[in-house]
């Protein structure tokens, strides 16, 4: 998903000092979108992509953009009309300026796992997605100090007919830098427990004097009560984590 190359080219050149497929930076043809998750919507045969550097985009089988969940600044005229409009719980438009919105709404930044959440059926034109909002580079609100950054798990409600988005739930912002993961991480709905399982996978990655740790939490989104929490420390500064998944041992046959 992350490697952007011409598959019809006679020769594919990759730098000798990088492992195969790991084409980093933002030069021409190099990881410009960094797709880090895909969620399939069978109701209209579309996919929802988490583009780390641009936002969250839904694309149909016809390769046309259906909507964009991202701050409206910087989009061309063709795409700007696809950007979802933030609204509150009453459907009233929320005022946004310079990437910052009023009230209980925020865009996701450098996010991961933008998935349709099984918390809802998502069969009609109203969709619900859960996202791990890493929060690296919050538009015009980028803080001067890295210790002021935060990550969060967030749930959005998208009305595709109206072209609107409402923020339904969030967790993690209140924990600040101690829950901040500049890269990777995930949030996933646990149907059997009616909870969200969250991995903030690389806390303290930007603090060379601290041990990197993965913070695992299970949250009841109705109350934000913590049902489970565990820190997993890395063995060294070179050890970083990607995601964490809940596995039911009963599914295996021994």
């Amino acid at each position: 998903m992350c490697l952007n190359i011409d598959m019809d080219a006679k020769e594919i050149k990759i730098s000798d000092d990088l492992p195969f497929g790991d084409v980093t930076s933002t030069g021409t043809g190099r990881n410009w979108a960094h797709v880090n998750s895909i969620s399939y919507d069978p109701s209209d045969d579309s996919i929802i992509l988490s583009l780390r550097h641009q936002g969250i985009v839904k694309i149909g089988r016809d390769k046309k953009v259906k909507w964009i969940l991202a701050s409206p600044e910087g989009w061309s005229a063709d795409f700007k009309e696809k950007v979802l409009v933030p609204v509150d719980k009453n459907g009233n438009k929320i005022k946004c300026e310079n990437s910052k919105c009023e009230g209980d709404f925020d865009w996701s930044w450098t996010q991961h796992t933008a998935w349709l959440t099984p918390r809802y059926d998502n069969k009609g034109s109203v969709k619900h997605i859960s996202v791990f909002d890493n929060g690296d580079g919050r538009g015009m609100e980028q803080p001067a100090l890295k210790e002021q950054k935060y990550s969060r798990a967030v749930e959005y409600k998208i009305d595709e007919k109206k072209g609107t988005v409402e923020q339904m739930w969030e967790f993690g912002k209140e924990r600040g830098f101690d829950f901040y993961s500049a890269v990777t991480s995930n949030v996933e709905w646990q149907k059997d427990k009616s909870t969200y399982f969250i991995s903030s996978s690389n806390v303290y990655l930007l603090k060379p004097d601290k041990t990197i740790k993965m913070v695992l939490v299970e949250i009841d989104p109705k109350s934000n009560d913590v049902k489970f929490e565990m820190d997993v420390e890395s063995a060294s500064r070179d050890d970083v984590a990607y995601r964490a998944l809940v596995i039911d041992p009963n599914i295996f046959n021994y």
Side-chain angles (χ1 to χ4, degrees):
M1 291 185 289
C2 298
L3 181 59
N4 295 280
I5 56 178
D6 180 2
M7 297 304 295
D8 296 324
K10 294 182 179 179
E11 183 180 4
I12 298 173
K13 294 183 178 180
I14 297 177
S15 175
D16 293 336
D17 59 354
L18 290 174
F20 179 76
D22 190 4
V23 181
T24 57
S25 83
T26 55
T28 303
R30 285 182 156 219
N31 203 11
W32 65 274
H34 191 98
V35 179
N36 55 47
S37 76
I38 298 176
S39 185
Y40 178 63
D41 186 353
S43 69
D44 59 0
D45 196 23
S46 297
I47 54 175
I48 298 170
L49 307 176
S50 170
L51 312 181
R52 175 174 167 84
H53 304 301
Q54 290 90 352
I56 302 166
V57 178
K58 187 174 188 181
I59 300 177
R61 179 68 68 175
D62 58 1
K63 299 182 182 180
K64 301 291 186 180
V65 173
K66 291 180 173 289
W67 50 255
I68 299 171
L69 176 51
S71 188
E73 290 81 10
W75 294 97
S76 66
D78 291 339
F79 291 121
K80 196 166 187 176
E81 64 180 13
K82 301 291 186 179
V83 177
L84 297 170
V85 177
V87 294
D88 61 21
K89 63 181 181 179
N90 297 315
N92 299 317
K93 183 178 178 180
I94 294 175
K95 182 179 179 181
C96 299
E97 185 175 0
N98 294 330
S99 304
K100 180 68 175 178
C101 298
E102 296 179 350
D104 296 326
F105 184 90
D106 193 7
W107 309 104
S108 64
W109 303 92
T110 61
Q111 73 289 317
H112 285 74
T113 59
W115 292 333
L116 285 169
T117 171
R119 186 181 181 189
Y120 305 90
D121 60 34
N122 293 306
K123 291 181 180 179
S125 62
V126 176
K127 311 293 181 181
H128 293 79
I129 62 172
S130 56
V131 183
F132 189 90
D133 172 15
N134 293 78
D136 188 27
R138 291 190 178 276
M140 302 299 290
E141 295 297 314
Q142 175 78 322
L145 302 175
K146 57 190 174 186
E147 291 82 4
Q148 295 175 320
K149 296 183 179 184
Y150 62 88
S151 298
R152 64 186 184 134
V154 58
E155 183 185 89
Y156 294 110
K157 174 184 175 182
I158 297 169
D159 190 318
E160 296 181 322
K161 287 185 177 179
K162 295 180 180 179
T164 60
V165 56
E166 177 188 348
Q167 181 174 301
M168 303 289 290
W169 166 82
E170 68 174 357
F171 175 86
K173 180 178 180 179
E174 66 284 354
R175 294 195 173 196
F177 192 71
D178 291 332
F179 195 70
Y180 172 69
S181 180
V183 295
T184 67
S185 308
N186 62 287
V187 54
E188 186 172 18
W189 179 250
Q190 305 300 304
K191 185 176 180 180
D192 59 334
K193 299 292 192 299
S194 296
T195 58
Y196 273 117
F197 174 76
I198 308 165
S199 171
S200 189
S201 298
N202 288 288
V203 174
Y204 301 144
L205 179 65
L206 303 185
K207 292 286 285 185
D209 59 326
K210 284 183 172 288
T211 300
I212 300 173
K213 67 177 181 177
M214 173 186 279
V215 179
L216 306 175
V217 289
E218 185 180 3
I219 303 296
D220 179 353
K222 293 182 178 180
S223 60
N224 265 15
D225 289 342
V226 176
K227 301 298 183 180
F228 167 86
E229 181 162 356
M230 180 173 69
D231 291 353
V232 181
E233 294 190 347
S234 297
S236 73
R237 289 292 303 176
D238 295 327
D239 294 331
V240 294
Y242 185 52
R243 293 178 184 169
L245 303 175
V246 176
I247 298 176
D248 182 357
N250 295 318
I251 68 174
F252 299 100
N253 294 320
Y254 295 99

